[in-house]
Amino acid sequence: MTSDAASVDAGPGASIADPLRRESAGAARRDPQPHAAATAASAFEGAVTRMVTAPSVCDDRSLVTVLIVDDHPSFRANARALLEAEGFDVVGEAEDGASALRAAAQLGPQLVLLDVQLPDIDGFEIARRLTDGGGGPAVVLVSSRDGSDFGPLVERSGARGFIPKAELSGAALSALLD
């Protein structure tokens, strides 16, 4: 059996800890009790895992609820996956400014990740409305453009800050929330 065949046998997305140990992988396949053999040897030989092994950015981030607002479904999906993997609780998504305001009122997120350029109301105005008078959610603006393109608009909007979409991470958000 080649390491490619072992990968196919393990399933999509699986990682094989030691693909060069072909004989142990073959022996495990011939074992009349494959689950028992796999359980006994999984920690060391031919282990298959689909678990994310990177620790979350901050243990108490699971308490932070997030609303993602962006008109691109692919960005919303990617941001959701990234933030949930890093311990944030994504409670909703919105595709434009009007739905963002409704969702924020209904869901009461602690953080709104907000695209600057939306089809109806720009992110700066949404941020102003959400943070006006205090007591609202923390707002972090995002864009595919560089933050320097927006000058003082980020600061005036009431947002905690700006993160370029390409640099979005739990650590970057945590730095703005602390």
Side-chain angles (χ1 to χ4, degrees):
M1 172 192 305
T2 67
S3 61
D4 290 339
S7 297
V8 169
D9 288 345
S15 92
I16 305 224
D18 191 359
L20 299 178
R21 298 200 55 162
R22 294 179 185 138
E23 58 279 343
S24 68
R29 291 182 77 201
R30 288 186 296 270
D31 190 332
Q33 295 179 350
H35 297 294
T39 303
S42 67
F44 303 103
E45 296 180 4
V48 176
T49 180
R50 290 184 176 98
M51 300 288 294
V52 175
T53 57
S56 65
V57 173
C58 181
D59 291 335
D60 63 352
R61 283 296 165 217
S62 62
L63 302 176
V64 177
T65 57
V66 182
L67 170 65
I68 300 171
V69 182
D70 195 284
D71 56 330
H72 294 99
S74 60
F75 176 78
R76 291 194 313 266
N78 289 334
R80 174 184 283 273
L82 177 119
L83 295 178
E84 287 177 344
E86 295 195 22
F88 291 83
D89 180 16
V90 178
V91 296
E93 298 178 2
E95 63 185 1
D96 58 36
S99 61
L101 292 170
R102 284 191 305 273
Q106 291 172 348
L107 300 171
Q110 294 166 310
L111 170 65
V112 176
L113 185 65
L114 178 61
D115 188 17
V116 169
Q117 296 174 316
L118 296 170
D120 56 353
I121 309 167
D122 74 52
F124 300 113
E125 178 60 26
I126 299 298
R128 270 191 289 280
R129 291 182 191 183
L130 290 173
T131 60
D132 189 33
V139 176
V140 173
L141 295 165
V142 294
S143 178
S144 55
R145 296 172 51 187
D146 189 74
S148 63
D149 292 346
F150 304 114
L153 294 174
V154 173
E155 187 177 321
R156 287 188 214 148
S157 71
R160 293 273 181 105
F162 174 87
I163 300 173
K165 286 182 178 181
E167 296 174 23
L168 180 63
S169 69
L173 279 175
S174 294
L176 292 174
L177 294 176
D178 294 337

